[in-house]
Amino acid sequence: MMDAETRVKHLTDSHGTLEGAPLLAAMHELFGGRIALLSSFGAESAVLLALAAEATPDFPVLFVNTGKLFGETLRYRDQLVERLGLRDVREIGPTADDLAAGDKDGLLFNRDYDACCHLRKTVPLERALATAGLEAWVTGRKRFQSATRAALPLFEAENGRVKVNPLANWDKDRLEEEFTRRDLPRHPLEADGFLSIGCYTCTERVAPGADPRSGRWAGSAKTECGIHTTMIGIAR
């Protein structure tokens, strides 16, 4: 079997002109049951989930429930799953043992943003990817979202797996058009100024015209939860 880096090169050559639902359908066929889509069910998530459902309602979806999510996010998840007819949504998150060892008082976010994200997001995701034997996973990241994502490729190799970014080249206008065309429901917090939605402990409203992700870990230098920057070397 070819390694992830070689596979990315082949995928870029063979599928590099695809995006959206056609790309997701091709990846589902290529990887079979060894690919899953990671979704936060946040402000922009409905478009990617709708495209996955269009490719096949059985497209596996991983949802990391950190235990610190807004109630609105959990209700929005249920609404989208029913609306789109998604048939394989898997909720993952930190175990009781994880929390007992790393965040007994539930206040780790106050002491160390990175450690909290690692414990509640990165570790559960890597464990789920390994347990399910996944060779590839899909993200909803887009180049326009922040400066750190400006050069985001369609395919990446990480930790021996392929990461697929079907919406990498989509801009905000195109997302809005797709929301309208498909009549997709909005995350209820978006109208209140929350443009990138994570845990309630570390998410604030975004000032008009500011980077959409500026409300995440506001006041710190942190820009990513760690899922997309520190997966290599995570214990399985």
Side-chain angles (χ1 to χ4, degrees):
M1 180 184 297
M2 68 180 73
D3 60 30
E5 288 78 10
T6 303
R7 207 164 199 177
V8 162
K9 293 178 183 176
H10 281 276
L11 288 171
T12 301
D13 291 339
S14 60
H15 295 81
T17 60
L18 297 179
E19 60 182 8
L23 178 59
L24 287 169
M27 294 300 98
H28 187 267
E29 180 178 359
L30 180 65
F31 286 99
R34 302 181 305 280
I35 188 170
L37 184 156
L38 177 68
S39 180
S40 66
F41 286 83
E44 297 169 353
S45 298
V47 169
L48 182 59
L49 291 165
L51 294 171
E54 180 181 319
T56 172
D58 293 320
F59 207 112
V61 176
L62 301 179
F63 171 64
V64 184
N65 187 345
T66 64
K68 300 285 188 182
L69 298 179
F70 289 95
E72 289 88 344
T73 295
L74 300 178
R75 290 188 287 274
Y76 186 54
R77 172 202 58 190
D78 295 343
Q79 180 186 18
L80 284 178
V81 169
E82 181 177 358
R83 171 74 173 273
L84 299 175
L86 294 165
R87 296 199 289 254
D88 190 5
V89 178
R90 309 170 190 179
E91 181 173 309
I92 59 178
T95 65
D97 287 343
D98 291 336
L99 297 177
D103 192 9
K104 289 182 180 179
D105 62 3
L107 297 175
L108 181 59
F109 68 93
N110 271 333
R111 298 186 290 272
D112 190 330
Y113 283 144
D114 289 332
C116 189
C117 286
H118 179 81
L119 177 71
R120 292 178 178 272
K121 293 184 177 181
T122 312
V123 169
L125 175 60
E126 178 60 23
R127 185 163 50 218
L129 292 173
T131 300
L134 299 182
E135 297 175 8
W137 51 298
V138 178
T139 89
R141 292 176 299 159
K142 308 158 199 75
R143 293 170 189 156
F144 80 85
Q145 289 175 316
S146 66
T148 58
R149 298 180 176 182
L152 183 70
L154 195 62
F155 301 104
E156 302 172 274
E158 181 184 89
N159 204 18
R161 299 186 185 90
V162 174
K163 287 172 72 174
V164 185
N165 307 304
L167 307 183
N169 197 38
W170 286 39
D171 59 20
K172 185 65 174 176
D173 288 341
R174 188 169 180 188
L175 275 178
E176 292 299 319
E177 290 171 4
E178 200 68 9
F179 260 100
T180 301
R181 186 176 76 83
R182 293 176 180 268
D183 192 26
L184 295 170
R186 302 279 185 168
H187 193 295
L189 291 177
E190 188 176 358
D192 197 25
F194 293 86
L195 304 185
S196 180
I197 302 163
C199 296
Y200 62 79
T201 54
C202 306
T203 302
E204 297 181 4
R205 294 173 180 83
V206 174
D211 185 317
R213 291 180 61 81
S214 63
R216 305 287 292 278
W217 311 286
S220 76
K222 186 174 175 64
T223 59
E224 296 280 355
C225 67
I227 280 177
H228 301 296
T229 56
T230 60
M231 286 289 284
I232 295 176
I234 300 299
R236 295 187 177 185

